[in-house]
Amino acid sequence: MKATDPLIVLASHFALLSLFAIGGANAAIPEMYRIAVQVEGWLTDQQFSDLFAIAQVTPGPNVIITTLIGYQVAGIAGAVVATIAMVGPTCVATYFITRVWDRFRDAPLRAAIQAGLVPVSIGLLGASAWILARANDTSWIAAGITVVTVAIGYFTRINPLWIFAIAAITGAVGLI
Amino acid sequence: MIAVILKMAEPILRKRLAPAPFVMAATFLAIGVARWPLVGTLLALAPASVALAWWWQRR
């Protein structure tokens, strides 16, 4: 197995990424996009956006997008390797960090770490949304659907799955 | 996703003079607009953000 083997490349990228995904898998979308589309050329803009959409509507955690990327790159083996690489290191790290974390419940430094990481994770999520919107909103109708979806999600309590369904129907009848 | 981000950012944006809104904007610009690599950017931004939060709490 060479260092250029897709499975090794997948494992090394996602294992490193998992340790820096502050805010969850969605916060790591910009880096996944950079690796999969810009650096390795595994996917096109459109394919990446499609995988993100599938990951969102699929029941289960958002980290499913890594499974889908792995599958696109190297089939079933790629899906398994990418998922383990993305979930494994962070699970181990979480196990050890939570044991220490509770001991410093009242420490000012713990409060500072939490307060310091929240804006970083929100900034990362914003970057993810920006990159996906840029890749997807190639027409006025698509941009309009994004704006309407944001408005509905922000101002109402309607289940986002209904919005997905309406957008899917719009796409199916050829409006996008 | 954008709607959730807006809801999460709302309480942070209310504290206009705190460092958090600036850190949030810097992260967004560095990763989303400039497309800098995540690892290097976070190694710089995350400790800086924690240091700023620490300083803000103690003042």
Side-chain angles (χ1 to χ4, degrees):
Chain A
M1 204 176 248
K2 295 176 185 171
T4 53
D5 187 299
L7 293 179
I8 294 185
V9 178
L10 272 171
S12 58
H13 277 312
F14 283 119
L16 181 63
L17 180 56
S18 77
L19 298 173
F20 289 87
I22 301 170
N26 277 349
I29 292 293
E31 187 66 2
M32 288 184 203
Y33 176 89
R34 201 182 69 81
I35 292 167
V37 178
Q38 296 178 326
V39 177
E40 301 291 348
W42 290 327
L43 306 167
T44 62
D45 267 351
Q46 190 58 52
Q47 284 174 318
F48 187 88
S49 302
D50 290 346
L51 294 187
F52 176 78
I54 292 167
Q56 291 295 300
V57 295
T58 307
N62 292 328
V63 79
I64 281 173
I65 190 169
T66 58
T67 313
L68 296 172
I69 293 172
Y71 184 77
Q72 282 281 325
V73 175
I76 298 286
V80 172
V81 166
T83 308
I84 292 172
M86 187 70 187
V87 176
T90 197
C91 282
V92 174
T94 304
Y95 174 75
F96 288 108
I97 289 170
T98 46
R99 293 175 71 138
V100 177
W101 202 235
D102 280 344
R103 271 191 241 154
F104 298 99
R105 200 171 297 128
D106 302 317
L109 182 60
R110 175 178 156 156
I113 290 171
Q114 286 178 329
L117 292 184
V118 167
V120 172
S121 67
I122 296 174
L124 284 176
L125 289 169
S128 302
W130 172 254
I131 285 171
L132 289 166
R134 290 283 306 264
N136 254 327
D137 291 349
T138 51
S139 67
W140 284 106
I141 294 176
I145 287 175
T146 302
V147 171
V148 170
T149 306
V150 171
I152 291 171
Y154 187 74
F155 294 109
T156 74
R157 288 169 184 255
I158 295 173
N159 190 323
L161 287 177
W162 286 110
I163 305 168
F164 275 117
I166 292 166
I169 292 166
T170 316
V173 298
L175 284 174
I176 301 175
Chain B
M1 185 171 170
I2 300 172
V4 172
I5 295 162
L6 290 175
K7 285 177 184 172
M8 286 166 70
E10 224 174 77
I12 288 177
L13 290 172
R14 275 200 214 106
K15 303 173 196 165
R16 281 184 193 165
L17 292 174
F22 299 102
V23 172
M24 200 166 65
T27 310
F28 172 76
L29 291 173
I31 303 287
V33 180
R35 307 270 173 103
W36 289 350
L38 182 82
V39 176
T41 308
L42 281 191
L43 283 175
L45 271 176
S49 179
V50 171
L52 283 168
W54 173 265
W55 166 75
W56 185 255
Q57 280 175 3
R58 294 178 71 87
R59 50 185 273 286

